[in-house]
Amino acid sequence: MHLTTAEEQIMKLLWKLDKAFIRDLLKEFPDPRPAPTTVITLLKRMIDKGFVSYKQYGNSREYYPIIKKGEYFSDH
């Protein structure tokens, strides 16, 4: 299964950061930054595809990659 260009951009940030909250991901984007709701929607799709998971801390979610960078790019 493949990621869209936007999903792949978020995935690259998660590989770089190892794990991140939405605010951490948004800080990494160049201006103009995407809306937080856009990033959340993309992360939901990536969870459904099996690329990302998260840990719940109260109302916050810390996202992390399930697929290693090398695994993803070796499938292309």
Side-chain angles (χ1 to χ4, degrees):
M1 187 169 298
H2 295 296
L3 296 171
T4 65
T5 303
E7 290 168 346
E8 199 170 288
Q9 186 178 14
I10 292 173
M11 199 69 196
K12 286 177 181 175
L13 293 176
L14 281 174
W15 285 322
K16 176 183 166 188
L17 299 171
D18 195 40
K19 53 189 174 184
F21 293 97
I22 294 295
R23 67 179 177 272
D24 301 324
L25 289 170
L26 288 171
K27 281 185 214 169
E28 294 291 320
F29 277 95
D31 287 328
R33 289 186 171 93
T37 52
T38 302
V39 175
I40 291 166
T41 300
L42 290 167
L43 283 164
K44 284 180 186 171
R45 284 194 220 149
M46 294 162 70
I47 289 166
D48 292 342
K49 290 180 179 182
F51 285 91
V52 174
S53 191
Y54 64 89
K55 288 182 185 171
Q56 190 83 36
Y57 297 99
N59 291 333
S60 300
R61 289 181 174 182
E62 185 178 42
Y63 296 91
Y64 58 92
I66 296 173
I67 303 290
K68 289 182 175 32
K69 190 175 186 177
E71 283 178 53
Y72 178 72
F73 287 105
S74 69
D75 287 346
H76 278 54

